Amino acid sequence: MSVLAVLTLLTAACTGPGPSPSPTQSATTAGRYPWHTGIVSTTFWVGEIFDPKAADGSQVMSTYDSQWMQSYGGCDGVVTNGCKTEARTQAKGYAPTSMTPKENPFYLDLPYDDVNDPTAFAERASVIPWANDPGFAGNAQNRSFSYMKNQWVRIRMGNRECYGQIEDAGPGQYHDKNYVFGSNDARPVNKNFNGAGMDVSPALNGCLGFSELDGESDKVDWQFVPRDQVPAGPWLKIVTVSQVK
């Protein structure tokens, strides 16, 4: 067994109950970036057709990848009268059962499209906290580069903690900077889907232990996290590195 496999088996972050944050490392203070707490999260998946009449009603493409389904490797679920979601299990590393992803199955979206939304694009270099960090600086006017795509997010629900990469924007809003980047735990501007402020993939749904496969009642805490602070886990088996397509 490889060292990576051993580390994956040993990691407790996504396998259920773990230690509670200490008083000095609470869910609202730990880490470089602020926590966002009690955020309603829904589930979406590559290949989903949510509303074929809506401009953002299909997950065949994402805001950052016009061929998202092809890049990912196909339907992130089961093909039965369309692309349907499915429950994910720890035994299979929360991976889909009917296909092998080419990109990270631990993906999510947040309501800030820094490439296609005019407001977000105009302000992104001054709003996104890491925009001037090495590897990001100098791309403010580069529409082939996203500061958001592939960025890591740490997500907690109860005593479970999992990690995923941003691969789309939403739900419902595309330049909600006060919620996404603010330090005052602002509520999402979005009022649809029970006020959801995040969509997560089926892998994250299973990893976090959502009560519903495709509901609008589960609430999470989340924060951005630098890549070098992402611990070993199934979310590192495949890491998405592609930029805007």
Side-chain angles (χ1 to χ4, degrees):
M1 183 178 291
S2 70
V3 174
L4 179 58
V6 172
L7 288 172
T8 301
L9 290 172
L10 288 177
T11 183
C14 194
T15 57
S20 299
S22 68
T24 58
Q25 292 288 304
S26 72
T28 57
T29 61
R32 175 180 175 184
Y33 300 109
W35 279 92
H36 307 263
T37 63
I39 302 299
V40 173
S41 178
T42 64
T43 302
F44 74 150
W45 58 95
V46 178
E48 175 191 16
I49 304 296
F50 177 72
D51 182 355
K53 297 180 181 179
D56 59 352
S58 169
Q59 306 307 330
V60 172
M61 62 181 67
S62 81
T63 196
Y64 303 120
D65 188 343
S66 61
Q67 298 181 329
W68 194 22
M69 189 170 175
Q70 180 178 333
S71 298
Y72 188 78
C75 168
D76 187 19
V78 291
V79 180
T80 305
N81 191 27
C83 176
K84 307 298 184 183
T85 189
E86 60 176 348
R88 303 298 171 84
T89 66
Q90 178 187 343
K92 292 186 176 294
Y94 305 101
T97 61
S98 301
M99 58 89 71
T100 300
K102 296 179 181 178
E103 296 184 337
N104 196 345
F106 291 80
Y107 54 85
L108 64 134
D109 69 13
L110 288 172
Y112 200 85
D113 177 358
D114 75 313
V115 172
N116 299 295
D117 182 88
T119 299
F121 182 78
E123 69 186 10
R124 63 181 189 164
S126 61
V127 169
I128 298 175
W130 54 87
N132 293 311
D133 290 354
F136 297 95
N139 283 289
Q141 300 304 314
N142 183 0
R143 289 192 176 275
S144 297
F145 184 91
S146 169
Y147 294 103
M148 298 295 289
K149 188 180 189 299
N150 304 331
Q151 293 310 295
W152 287 93
V153 175
R154 177 185 186 185
I155 311 172
R156 282 179 178 165
M157 191 174 86
N159 54 9
R160 293 193 179 202
E161 183 175 282
C162 309
Y163 293 74
Q165 290 181 275
I166 298 171
E167 299 301 337
D168 201 1
Q173 299 290 322
Y174 301 97
H175 54 257
D176 190 357
K177 65 180 179 182
N178 291 333
Y179 157 59
V180 175
F181 305 113
S183 59
N184 61 346
D185 204 11
R187 299 299 88 184
V189 170
N190 178 49
K191 301 304 179 186
N192 296 322
F193 320 116
N194 203 19
M198 173 187 289
D199 294 312
V200 301
S201 69
L204 280 167
N205 177 307
C207 180
L208 290 162
F210 276 20
S211 61
E212 299 179 85
L213 184 59
D214 189 20
E216 300 175 7
S217 62
D218 292 290
K219 294 184 177 181
V220 302
D221 302 334
W222 70 268
Q223 72 175 165
F224 294 113
V225 62
R227 170 62 182 85
D228 61 4
Q229 294 180 19
V230 176
W235 41 80
L236 288 181
K237 183 176 181 181
I238 306 172
V239 175
T240 304
V241 296
S242 61
Q243 258 297 331
V244 176
K245 296 181 181 178

